[in-house]
Amino acid sequence: ENVKANFFLLGSRVEENPKLVKREFNEGHFIGNHGYTHKYSSIYSSVDSVFDEYNRTNDLIKKAVGNDKVESLIFRFPGGLVGGPYNDLKMEAAAKLKENGIANVDWNALTGDSETRTPTEEFLMERLRSTCEGKNSVVLLMHDSPSKEITIKVLPQVISYLKEQGYEFKKIAGTSAGAIV
């Protein structure tokens, strides 16, 4: 479909799939940082832990793409920035990241691919339509873990629907290389 994606990567997955990360980077997709573990009790044990997970993942991204000047200066908090039992800590962590030139982004629409164990294509498309409704700009949450085969299967429908609605696919930030260099 010749669209660019914004991949917010877990460091643990970068370690497992460095060739895939390099491919995403080389194809011009945006590479963002999603922390290392995605284990809330670990990443949100302290503000320093959030920052450590960011740094660990950033170093792994540099190694995977083979460019030590790459900086993934946008972080997506696991579970989202706002709400939940770690809300106050996440707000403090966001401030510390910002002090260090690292922005954060959250999604405002989703397919719901992690809401149920066996979502159908119809379910995913309905969640997409309902969460995009009335929005001028969409940051769509989808997951690419091995258990999300349905997400891959429905992706052409997602792209088609969003194009029909007049949305354009753009990288959040970065250079033509796909990450902030």
Side-chain angles (χ1 to χ4, degrees), residues 144-174:
D144 66 348
S145 63
S147 65
K148 303 296 180 195
E149 291 179 20
I150 190 74
T151 303
I152 297 165
K153 187 175 180 185
V154 78
L155 188 56
Q157 291 176 59
V158 168
I159 293 169
S160 177
Y161 172 78
L162 291 171
K163 284 182 176 181
E164 288 169 7
Q165 299 306 304
Y167 293 107
E168 296 177 40
F169 290 81
K170 296 181 179 180
K171 294 189 305 184
I172 289 175

Side-chain angles (χ1 to χ4, degrees), residues 8 11 13 17 33 54 86 109 146-147:
F8 285 86
R13 302 286 183 176
N17 301 292
N33 191 314
Y54 166 84
Y86 303 104
S147 65

Side-chain angles (χ1 to χ4, degrees), residues 31-159:
I31 306 298
N33 191 314
H34 196 41
Y36 184 82
T37 64
H38 211 281
K39 293 178 184 167
Y40 297 172
S41 61
S42 174
I43 192 170
Y44 299 132
S45 63
S46 70
V47 170
D48 287 338
S49 180
V50 174
F51 203 74
D52 290 345
E53 287 220 8
Y54 166 84
N55 285 326
R56 184 174 181 189
T57 299
N58 194 54
D59 290 344
L60 289 166
I61 290 169
K62 288 179 184 189
K63 183 178 176 184
V65 302
N67 184 338
D68 65 352
K69 293 182 179 159
V70 168
E71 297 289 339
S72 60
L73 295 176
I74 301 179
F75 182 73
R76 193 176 94 62
F77 282 83
L81 175 62
V82 179
Y86 303 104
N87 187 65
D88 292 344
L89 187 131
K90 289 189 284 185
M91 293 301 144
E92 290 178 47
K96 181 174 181 174
L97 289 166
K98 186 176 180 180
E99 289 170 11
N100 286 276
I102 303 158
N104 71 78
V105 67
D106 241 340
W107 47 270
N108 67 353
L110 50 83
T111 61
D113 63 358
S114 65
E115 292 177 4
T116 179
R117 291 176 84 69
T118 56
T120 63
E121 290 181 44
E122 294 78 20
F123 175 83
L124 297 180
M125 290 304 298
E126 180 52 37
R127 290 294 283 142
L128 170 70
R129 285 188 284 274
S130 68
T131 59
C132 287
E133 189 173 345
K135 293 186 172 119
N136 293 328
S137 179
V138 169
V139 178
L140 180 64
L141 174 65
M142 297 177 76
H143 297 87
D144 66 348
S145 63
S147 65
K148 303 296 180 195
E149 291 179 20
I150 190 74
T151 303
I152 297 165
K153 187 175 180 185
V154 78
L155 188 56
Q157 291 176 59
V158 168
I159 293 169

